[in-house]
Structure formats: C-alpha cells, structure tokens
C-alpha cells in the first residue's frame, strides 16, 4: 500500500517550497538536509507531505518518550491507512544491572515491562518485515541491541486452512516462539487450548487468532475479540511472529555453548591470576546457571549479554538494532531526527555511559567481557547505517548545519500558517530591572495577557516570585522540584488567568505551548552558559512567538556573543516574516488552543497526592507496616501502568520514583 496523507489542511506559507526542496534533495540522493523551521510553522505536517511524495519507509527519532508519543499520534492521524508504529523503551520502571564496589552492593536488573508498548515495539518490527508503507516513531532507544532481523524472521509459524498439522506440533512451535500456555489469563504472548482449538493472542496485536483442528488438519482460522471472544473475521491464512525480539535457535546451542564455556574458563583463569578468587567463582556459577536456563526454556533474564555468541558476531562488532530491520526491509529508508540539537548529543553519549557500568560488572565477576557487546551503537556506527537524513529543529547545531551546507541543503520554513512573526527584542539595563519588570507586567496584565520570566537559579525564581506576590502580582514559579502533575496544573492556571506571571529557570521543555503569553523577559541575559547560549536564548524567545503582541526583554549590562547571535537570527526571521505578510497582504492571526482536561479531577488529584506524601513521610519514619507498604506499592504500580499505557510517561516516571522511595 502507498502512503496516503489524510488532512483537512493544505500546505501554506512557505511549507510548499520547503516540501518541494526537501523532496528534490531526496530524489537527488543528498544524504544530509536540515529543516530549519520556527516554532509553530508546522514542521511535522511538512515532513508528512515529504513522506507521501517520496513513498519510503521512514524512521523518526525523538529525544524522549513524551515527544515521541506526540509525534506518533500526529503521524498516525496523518496516515490512518498506513502502518505507523511506536518504538521506545518498553519499561515503566527500569533499574539496570549494576555493582557498587564501595559498598559491595549488587543491584539486580529490575524492570516493569509495559505490555502495550511491548506490543507496539513488536508491531513495528513485524511491519518492517511485511510492509513497505511503514513509519516508525522511535526514541533514542532504537540504537540499542535488539537481535538479528534475519533470526527474528526465521522464527515464524505459517498457518493456512487445509494444511496438515496437529495440536502438539503447533503448541511446540508456539513455545519455540516464546508464547506461554495460560489457561486462566488470556494475555498478549499467550495461548490456551480447548479440545482441538487453540486460542492465540499474538504479542503484537490487539486481537486473538483461533486455530481449529480436526483429524490432524487445520480446518478454520479466525480473528476474534480478545475481550468478548466474538469472531471478527475468517482468515485465509496467518503468519505468527515471535513474542519476543531476542530469539535463540536451539539448533545453534551445540556450537554456541562450548564457545561461552571456553571464554568462561579463560576469564576465570584471568581473575584468579589477579587474586580475584571470589570473582572467578561468582562468574563460573552465574554463567553455568544462565546456560542451563537457556537450554531448558530458551530464555533467561539477561540473555542479551550473550547476544554476541548467538548472533555470530566477533568481539567489538556492533549489535543488531532497529536500524537493521529498516535496512533489511529497504536500503532507501528515510530518517528524520526531530529536535536534532538535543537528540544528536544524546545519541553521541549513550555508548560511553553504557560501557562504564558494564566494565564494573565484568571486573567483579558478574558478567563475561561479551556483555560489552550488548550495547548501543557508537555514533559513527549509527551514521553509517542511516541512508538519507533530515535534521529538524528551530535551532540546529553547527554539526548538522555543516553537513547540510555541503550540498546547500538547509531548507528554511519561517512562515507560520497563522502568519505570526517572531517577537521584537529589547535590551535593558539590569539597574532597576525589577521595578521595570513590574511596570512591564502591569502593561500586559491590563490587556489580559501573560508573562514569562526566566532566571538563572531556583533560589532567585522563588525569591522573585515571593517579591512579586508582595506587590500583588498573581505569580507562580516553576522549576525541576515541581512534580509533573503540579507543573501541568500551574501551566493550565496561567492560561486561565489564575496567574498572570510564571517565573522559571529553563522554560523550554516540550509541550510548553502558551498562546496567551505575549512577553518573555530574560534576567541576567549576559551571563554566558548553557541557559544563555545562542540556542537556549532563541528557544526562550520563541515562547512569545504564539502571540500577536509578542515582545522579548533582555536585562543585561553587556551584549554577549550569544546574545548578539540570537538577536540577529530572530530579527532576520522577523524581517522575512514581515516582508512575506506585506507582499501577500495577510494579517497575523492569534492562536486559540483549548486547555486539555486533567488526567484526574482536581480534588481527587490533590487528595491522592496528599495521602501519598503523608505515607511517604511515614515510610521514612518506619511507621508503615510491611503489608500496608506492599499494598501501596501495588496500587502505585497499577497507576504507573495506566499512565504509561496512555503514553503519559512523565506521570509514570514520577510514580516510579515514588515506588523506589517506598522500597528504600
């Protein structure tokens, strides 16, 4: 099936020229492009149009789960008839295996797997092996070890009415594919047997498959509702893929196991020669246990640490990742790296962090050196596996700009569909800045508008908020100590007018879309650093670009290089936007955006978190009884899974941290 974009909107402003240039460059085999699109210019819509025109499988990489979820939902709406998939880390809670030598503390790998996300991950790889019209929206976890697509593709069960088979052979094959027999709870990745009928719940689907047999012959295949058991459709055939990404072929055990045991023997001798007798004994015991488990059931917790042997990779050779599934499906797939100025640094840093933790485990006999090959890709390895790339950002970094400039492939999208322009920028002295700030706030409040104030420290944000409150300004502050739900409440209350001013440190997080804000003020703008870099300043100023009366005030005694570069870039964009509006005789339109309903009702939310905080306080005093604590943890885990299933990962992460606090 071809990609078909469905939307009530048509490209406007400079979206058409951006779509045309990007498409032409892709057709001309230019590897690196940059889409420099200002905030609110519809960059996702532009990329959707490009995908429809080039008709290629597409990987979209985002720097976190929350933003990836937003992009997934947008692309799914744009392409309802195509295979839009979501591939992020499937853990609601994840504690990696680690060892702390200073306290002799071994931390076993602990994870809470979200079944819905696991299904979406499996669905993504299944789509890549079976279809061409695939879009996968992924987080940076896409560069982690996943297992060979060739091996994954070999582990299938083909079913067709009329074929000769029997109940036992199908059950054995399903077990090989890591499906579990469960007669009581019909869950994804399980099957149940009723007479000569097998009900299967594929790990990557929302519906079940009923396999009916008679006299060693498959007589009927049907799709049914997993909830009601009602038949949905009769199937002419079905291909069942594995329930897990990482599969091991029992036929390879005879060759693989001796290799592992040989490496164990070698490593044990190395440890003993260093006087590490305990470590040597530990490694021997743990590895023998793992091999026995793999032999008996085909799987063990931590099996990925032996992936190099089963994949047939040499030491140091890169692991298989989602990118290999793309390359297996089509060498001409397209990659879009969203918010590239944030995503690329994350991709660069993942390898070193992973290796540091694993080296400690190896040194103390918890893992073989082969564990180092269960890793994310190095940045150079990643870039080698990507075909053509579009870097998308309002503030692309020098790295991606330099790559794109080699072929004049920096495509600008500066005109918003609303025709709103970038804000005016004014520099004012720090002398008397607070008095001046109060005056500017008063002007905006009289017009029913909102104000953002950025500071450099938490303390300053809190003290400034207290001072403004004394001056009868309706103000709130926002920083990293504010919990996720409370944070969203504050933003909603700002939009409603319960607050007129929001004071914060870094007000750049994704989802900060406040069309009522007309003024952004930056205190200490001349203090060079991360929060006052060119990129951060442009991003901060962009918070005002959703209002007709947009204005930015920088309080500074000197004009730094970062300030000058940021102001010059904003003014350049503003001049282009004003010229466009004049030429086409258009008037900017303000943005109207509904305030989303809260995840839970206000009273329930407040009471729940008051109760929770009270219980956490008691837990620190060791007052909560073990049974009570266990019950609380169970309830929290349930809430965490619900939040993650709704793709609200910030809330899930907050609850996860609360569970960890209770376990201490």
């Amino acid at each position: 099936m071809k990609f078909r974009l469905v939307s009530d909107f048509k490209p406007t402003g400079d979206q058409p020229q951006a779509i045309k240039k990007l498409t032409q460059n892709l057709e001309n085999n230019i590897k690196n492009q940059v889409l420099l699109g200002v905030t609110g210019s519809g960059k996702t819509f532009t990329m959707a149009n490009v995908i429809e025109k080039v008709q290629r499988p597409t990987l979209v990489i985002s720097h976190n789960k929350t933003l990836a979820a937003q992009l997934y939902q947008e692309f799914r709406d744009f392409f309802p008839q195509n295979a839009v998939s979501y591939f992020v880390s499937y853990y609601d809670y994840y504690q990696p295996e680690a060892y702390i030598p200073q306290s002799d503390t071994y931390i076993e790998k602990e994870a809470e797997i979200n079944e819905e996300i696991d299904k979406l991950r499996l669905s993504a790889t299944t789509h890549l092996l079976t279809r061409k019209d695939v879009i996968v929206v992924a987080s940076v976890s896409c560069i982690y070890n996943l297992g060979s697509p060739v091996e994954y593709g070999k582990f299938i069960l083909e079913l067709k009415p009329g074929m000769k088979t029997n109940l036992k052979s199908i059950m054995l094959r399903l077990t090989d594919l890591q499906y579990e027999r469960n007669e009581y709870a019909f869950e994804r990745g399980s099957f149940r047997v009723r007479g000569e009928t097998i009900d299967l719940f594929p790990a990557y689907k929302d519906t079940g498959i009923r396999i009916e047999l008679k006299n060693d012959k498959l007589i009927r295949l049907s799709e049914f509702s997993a909830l009601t058991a009602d038949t949905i459709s009769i199937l002419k055939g079905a291909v069942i893929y594995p329930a897990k990404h990482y599969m091991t072929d029992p036929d390879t055990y005879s060759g693989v196991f001796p290799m592992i045991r040989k490496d164990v023997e070698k490593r044990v001798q190395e440890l003993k020669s260093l006087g590490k007798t305990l470590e040597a004994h530990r490694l021997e015991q743990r590895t023998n246990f793992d091999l026995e488990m793999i032999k008996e059931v085909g799987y063990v917790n931590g099996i990925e640490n032996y992936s190099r042997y089963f994949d047939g990779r040499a030491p140091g050779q890169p692991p298989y990742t989602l990118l290999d599934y793309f390359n297996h499906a089509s060498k001409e797939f397209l990659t879009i790296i969203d918010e590239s100025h944030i995503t690329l640094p994350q991709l660069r840093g993942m390898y070193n962090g992973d290796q540091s933790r694993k080296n400690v485990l190896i040194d103390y006999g918890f893992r073989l050196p082969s564990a180092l090959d269960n890793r994310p890709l190095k940045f150079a390895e990643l870039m080698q596996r990507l075909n053509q790339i579009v870097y998308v950002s309002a503030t692309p970094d020098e790295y991606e700009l330099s790559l794109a400039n080699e072929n004049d492939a920096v495509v600008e999208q500066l005109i918003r569909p609303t025709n709103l322009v970038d804000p005016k920028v004014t520099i004012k002295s720090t002398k008397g800045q607070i008095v001046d700030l109060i005056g500017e706030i008063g002007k905006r409040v009289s017009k029913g508008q909102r104000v953002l104030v950025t500071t450099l420290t938490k303390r300053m944000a809190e003290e400034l908020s207290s001072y403004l409150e004394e001056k009868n300004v309706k103000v709130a502050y926002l920083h990293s100590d504010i919990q996720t739900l409370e944070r969203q409440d504050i933003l909603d209350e700002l939009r409603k007018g319960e607050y007129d001013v929001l004071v914060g440190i870094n007000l750049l997080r994704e989802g900060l879309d406040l069309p009522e804000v007309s003024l952004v003020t930056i205190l200490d703008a001349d203090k060079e650093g991360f929060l006052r870099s060119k990129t951060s300043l442009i991003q901060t100023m962009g918070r005002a670009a959703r209002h007709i009366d947009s204005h930015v005030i920088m309080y500074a005694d000197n004009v730094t290089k970062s300030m000058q570069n940021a102001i010059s870039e904003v003014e350049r964009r503003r001049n282009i936007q004003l010229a466009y509006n004049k030429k086409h005789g258009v008037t900017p339109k303000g943005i109207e955006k509904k305030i989303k309903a809260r995840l839970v009702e206000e009273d329930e939310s407040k009471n729940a978190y008051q109760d929770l905080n009270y219980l956490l306080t008691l837990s620190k005093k060791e007052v909560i009884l073990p049974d009570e604590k266990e019950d609380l943890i169970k309830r929290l885990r349930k809430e965490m899974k619900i939040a993650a299933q709704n793709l609200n990962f910030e809330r899930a992460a907050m609850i996860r941290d609360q569970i960890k606090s209770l376990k201490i």
Side-chain angles (χ1 to χ4, degrees):
M1 183 180 286
K2 288 189 174 183
F3 286 107
R4 183 173 175 270
L5 175 62
V6 177
S7 176
D8 294 331
F9 304 100
K10 292 186 178 181
T12 60
D14 56 1
Q15 286 177 337
Q17 63 86 25
I19 294 166
K20 184 179 179 181
K21 286 181 182 177
L22 290 166
T23 303
Q24 286 178 345
N25 288 338
L26 289 171
E27 291 173 345
N28 292 332
N29 292 317
I30 290 175
K31 180 167 183 174
N32 298 292
Q33 297 187 76
V34 168
L35 175 59
L36 196 164
V38 296
T39 304
S41 62
K43 296 186 288 292
T44 305
F45 184 55
T46 295
M47 294 314 308
N49 276 273
V50 171
I51 292 170
E52 184 185 45
K53 289 187 177 298
V54 299
Q55 293 290 319
R56 297 185 194 175
T58 302
L59 170 64
V60 183
I61 305 178
S62 174
H63 62 90
N64 66 36
K65 283 184 176 182
T66 303
L67 189 56
Q70 294 174 9
L71 290 168
Y72 165 65
Q73 290 167 339
E74 288 180 26
F75 278 111
R76 189 176 57 180
D77 290 341
F78 286 142
F79 296 102
Q81 300 171 10
N82 304 111
V84 180
S85 303
Y86 183 65
F87 191 96
V88 301
S89 171
Y90 53 18
Y91 299 117
D92 287 336
Y93 169 74
Y94 181 65
Q95 172 60 64
E97 184 183 28
Y99 179 67
I100 306 170
Q102 294 83 350
S103 58
D104 189 26
T105 304
Y106 171 71
I107 303 171
E108 192 172 356
K109 176 181 172 183
E110 185 180 356
E112 293 276 348
I113 294 176
N114 182 284
E115 290 186 7
E116 181 67 18
I117 297 176
D118 191 28
K119 181 209 77 172
L120 292 169
R121 283 167 61 94
L122 289 161
S123 178
T125 50
T126 304
H127 285 155
L128 284 168
L129 296 179
T130 58
R131 304 176 65 162
K132 296 294 184 185
D133 59 326
V134 181
I135 299 171
V136 180
V137 180
S139 67
V140 292
S141 64
C142 67
I143 68 171
Y144 272 89
N145 183 18
L146 192 61
S148 168
V150 176
E151 289 299 313
Y152 181 80
K154 285 193 311 188
F155 281 85
I156 60 171
L157 172 61
E158 296 187 64
L159 300 170
K160 196 171 184 178
M163 67 183 292
K164 290 185 178 180
T165 186
N166 57 59
L167 192 71
K168 184 179 179 181
S169 63
I170 293 178
M171 289 170 60
L172 287 172
R173 188 55 177 166
L174 289 175
T175 303
D176 288 341
L177 300 182
Q178 296 300 316
Y179 287 90
E180 296 181 359
R181 183 173 180 175
N182 192 331
E183 302 293 342
Y184 304 101
F186 192 52
E187 302 169 335
R188 286 192 183 88
S190 69
F191 66 92
R192 63 191 180 196
V193 182
R194 300 285 189 272
E196 289 194 89
T197 298
I198 300 174
D199 285 346
L200 171 68
F201 201 159
Y204 46 87
K205 292 176 67 73
D206 291 318
T207 55
I209 293 176
R210 183 161 289 137
I211 308 164
E212 299 177 53
L213 302 157
K214 189 175 182 180
N215 299 327
D216 293 341
K217 188 176 181 180
L218 201 162
I219 61 171
R220 178 179 159 116
L221 273 177
S222 57
E223 183 182 16
F224 68 94
S225 168
L227 182 64
T228 65
D230 294 337
T231 300
I232 298 172
S233 64
I234 305 299
L235 302 175
K236 294 180 180 180
V239 178
I240 310 302
Y241 285 85
K244 290 182 173 67
H245 274 123
Y246 197 86
M247 302 294 298
T248 59
D249 188 347
D251 294 338
T252 67
Y253 292 174
S254 59
V256 169
F257 282 16
M259 292 171 60
I260 297 174
R261 289 197 169 97
K262 185 178 179 181
D263 284 353
V264 170
E265 186 178 342
K266 180 182 176 183
R267 181 60 179 163
V268 165
Q269 292 303 318
E270 288 177 358
L271 290 169
K272 285 181 177 179
S273 68
L274 296 170
K276 296 184 175 182
T277 307
L278 174 63
E279 288 83 353
H281 179 69
R282 178 188 289 146
L283 179 64
E284 199 167 26
Q285 277 196 320
R286 288 176 61 87
T287 310
N288 286 335
F289 173 80
D290 287 350
L291 294 182
E292 284 298 317
M293 286 294 294
I294 295 171
K295 182 181 177 181
E296 291 299 322
V297 301
Y299 190 82
V300 70
N301 193 26
I303 191 173
E304 62 275 6
N305 291 295
Y306 304 99
S307 60
R308 185 237 291 168
Y309 300 102
F310 291 104
D311 294 342
R313 293 184 282 125
Q317 191 175 344
Y320 294 106
T321 67
L322 181 67
L323 303 181
D324 292 285
Y325 283 78
F326 268 98
N327 277 307
H328 186 76
S330 173
K331 299 290 184 183
E332 297 184 346
F333 73 96
L334 171 64
T335 301
I336 299 170
I337 300 181
D338 193 59
E339 300 291 352
S340 59
H341 64 286
I342 300 174
T343 306
L344 287 175
Q346 285 196 11
L347 291 168
R348 283 194 193 93
M350 291 172 74
Y351 171 79
N352 288 334
D354 180 82
Q355 297 290 286
S356 174
R357 176 176 58 81
K358 295 244 176 77
N359 274 319
V360 177
L361 289 167
I362 292 166
D363 289 344
Y364 287 88
F366 290 95
R367 290 293 172 194
L368 280 169
S370 63
L372 290 173
D373 294 315
N374 168 44
R375 60 175 176 84
L377 294 173
K378 300 175 183 177
F379 189 69
E381 295 168 343
L382 165 66
M383 299 308 287
Q384 289 170 1
R385 283 157 175 75
L386 299 181
N387 175 37
Q388 289 179 288
I389 311 167
V390 179
Y391 305 93
V392 180
S393 175
T395 53
D397 211 345
E398 289 300 322
Y399 173 79
E400 52 264 40
L401 286 172
S402 63
L403 293 175
N405 278 325
E406 291 177 3
N407 293 289
D408 192 27
V410 177
V411 179
E412 294 192 333
Q413 186 170 296
L414 306 180
I415 309 302
R416 299 178 175 86
T418 57
N419 298 112
L420 287 170
V421 301
D422 277 31
K424 295 178 183 177
V425 182
T426 303
I427 300 175
K428 292 188 175 183
S429 171
T430 60
K431 187 177 181 180
Q433 62 181 357
I434 303 302
V435 175
D436 185 81
L437 174 62
I438 293 172
E440 292 291 342
I441 290 171
K443 294 176 186 177
R444 299 290 164 168
V445 171
S446 66
K447 298 178 182 178
Q449 300 168 4
R450 314 287 185 266
V451 179
L452 296 183
V453 183
T454 64
T455 67
L456 283 174
T457 65
K458 294 178 183 179
R459 182 177 177 180
M460 188 174 179
E462 294 175 4
E463 289 181 352
L464 179 58
S465 298
S466 298
Y467 182 78
L468 292 175
E469 196 169 18
E470 290 175 5
K471 299 297 180 181
N472 297 318
V473 175
K474 295 189 293 183
V475 62
Y477 68 88
L478 198 64
H479 54 60
S480 58
D481 289 345
I482 304 294
Q483 291 184 336
T484 302
L485 287 183
E486 189 180 350
R487 172 189 172 88
Q488 191 55 55
D489 286 346
I490 291 170
L491 295 174
D492 288 346
E493 287 162 359
L494 178 75
R495 295 195 60 200
K496 291 176 182 177
E498 295 179 28
Y499 299 118
D500 292 319
V501 181
L502 181 63
V503 181
I505 301 170
N506 186 0
L507 299 173
L508 309 180
R509 290 180 62 175
E510 69 283 346
L512 192 63
D513 187 0
L514 306 169
E516 295 81 10
V517 171
S518 65
L519 175 64
V520 172
T521 62
I522 305 173
L523 302 182
D524 299 309
D526 54 358
K527 300 294 190 293
E528 284 275 21
F530 170 72
L531 293 175
R532 299 294 182 262
S533 66
K534 174 188 173 183
T535 298
S536 292
L537 289 172
I538 293 174
Q539 292 278 353
T540 302
M541 289 189 280
R543 299 308 101 187
R546 293 171 171 83
H547 201 283
I548 294 176
D549 297 329
S550 61
H551 188 200
V552 172
I553 298 175
M554 291 183 172
Y555 290 100
D557 295 323
N558 302 291
V559 178
T560 64
K561 185 178 180 182
S562 295
M563 287 174 61
Q564 188 56 61
N565 290 338
I567 293 169
S568 297
E569 176 61 16
V570 170
E571 286 182 347
R572 182 185 74 85
R573 298 178 184 185
R574 177 178 170 84
N575 290 333
I576 292 172
Q577 294 157 350
L578 288 170
Y580 178 92
N581 290 351
K582 185 177 179 180
K583 179 180 178 181
H584 294 86
V586 295
T587 303
K589 295 182 291 184
I591 297 174
E592 293 184 5
K593 183 183 177 183
K594 291 182 179 179
I595 299 174
K596 294 180 180 180
R598 288 185 175 135
L599 293 168
V600 292
E601 293 297 322
E602 182 178 2
D603 290 338
E604 292 179 4
S605 174
K606 287 183 179 178
N607 290 336
Y609 281 91
Q610 284 172 358
D611 292 344
L612 180 61
N613 289 332
Y614 175 67
L615 290 171
L616 287 172
T617 301
L618 290 178
S619 70
K620 293 177 183 178
K621 297 178 180 179
E622 300 181 353
V623 174
I624 292 183
L625 297 173
D627 290 346
E628 294 173 330
K629 186 183 287 189
E630 186 178 344
D631 180 65
L632 176 60
I633 290 172
K634 285 181 180 178
R635 286 191 285 125
L636 286 172
R637 279 181 173 158
K638 183 179 178 181
E639 290 298 317
M640 180 174 68
K641 289 180 178 180
I642 292 171
Q645 188 172 1
N646 294 330
L647 306 183
N648 189 345
F649 301 111
E650 286 191 341
R651 186 184 183 208
M654 182 194 67
I655 298 172
R656 174 203 65 195
D657 293 342
Q658 290 169 334
I659 293 171
K660 288 175 69 176
S661 298
L662 280 170
K663 287 183 174 181
I664 295 174

